[in-house]
Amino acid sequence: MSDEIKIRKANKNDFDVVYQFMNELEEIVFEIDSQKKAFERNLSNKDFIYLIAELKNRPIGFISCHSQNPLHHGGQKIAEIQEMYVNQENRKTGVGKKLIEELKHIAKQNEIVQLEVTSNKKRTETHRFYQREGFINTHEKFTFELK
């Protein structure tokens, strides 16, 4: 099956499926208009990479990543995976691995020297996936809600 999976850059026509994926990932229904505006704005930003995984021309996965040049990395280009989702019936079939491989390829072409990812503590299987893909757990992430 892995050979049948195709990875391509996302486009505006992918909004509906990406919106569905994000709702499933976060177990919430996001406000659609603000999601669409953010999706389209990020698609046009050269510092964002949005990829779709397809099986038989049907979207089954998505990964998003953005890059920046933080001072604490000496101004080198670093990218962070923001979202990654594979639909339930296609997990453990190599889809995630293919998304990561293509992201690494594109990142190298864009002179990105490091990929980072943050994953919710409850997603222990996801943590094992990233470790299998060569990611090392080096940080703790802290958040503060501004309300």
Side-chain angles (χ1 to χ4, degrees):
M1 174 194 265
S2 179
D3 293 341
E4 299 173 41
I5 299 164
K6 305 293 183 221
I7 309 297
R8 64 169 175 78
K9 289 187 177 182
N11 61 59
K12 284 184 179 185
N13 296 329
D14 293 311
F15 172 74
D16 290 336
V17 73
V18 171
Y19 176 71
Q20 175 190 336
F21 288 167
M22 292 304 96
N23 289 339
E24 291 173 15
L25 176 68
E26 293 301 324
E27 300 172 351
I28 190 172
V29 176
F30 288 104
E31 196 282 315
I32 195 165
D33 291 332
S34 60
Q35 284 289 91
K36 188 168 189 171
K37 285 178 189 170
F39 179 78
E40 290 177 355
R41 182 175 55 246
N42 293 347
L43 269 182
S44 66
N45 186 329
K46 68 175 180 52
D47 293 324
F48 280 75
I49 301 167
Y50 276 8
L51 301 175
I52 297 286
E54 290 183 326
L55 179 62
K56 298 178 182 173
N57 296 317
R58 186 177 65 88
I60 59 171
F62 172 73
I63 192 167
S64 74
C65 182
H66 79 267
S67 63
Q68 56 187 337
N69 301 85
L71 298 177
H72 69 275
H73 280 281
Q76 296 181 86
K77 202 170 193 181
I78 307 298
E80 182 176 2
I81 297 169
Q82 295 295 304
E83 296 104 4
M84 182 166 156
Y85 180 82
V86 175
N87 65 4
Q88 191 71 38
E89 65 263 23
N90 290 289
R91 292 182 188 159
K92 298 185 181 189
T93 64
V95 177
K97 183 176 188 60
K98 282 209 167 217
L99 282 165
I100 293 290
E101 286 173 355
E102 182 63 16
L103 178 62
K104 287 177 181 177
H105 176 74
I106 292 170
K108 286 179 185 176
Q109 288 179 331
N110 289 308
E111 300 178 349
I112 294 168
V113 299
Q114 180 174 304
L115 289 175
E116 299 179 346
V117 64
T118 301
S119 179
N120 191 301
K121 289 186 181 212
K122 70 181 179 181
R123 295 186 175 125
T124 56
E125 269 196 52
T126 303
H127 304 164
R128 286 191 290 276
F129 165 78
Y130 284 118
Q131 289 170 335
R132 283 193 307 272
E133 294 307 309
F135 288 76
I136 300 167
N137 186 357
T138 61
H139 290 69
E140 294 287 330
K141 182 173 185 168
F142 300 89
T143 64
F144 183 85
E145 294 230 8
L146 297 168
K147 291 185 179 183

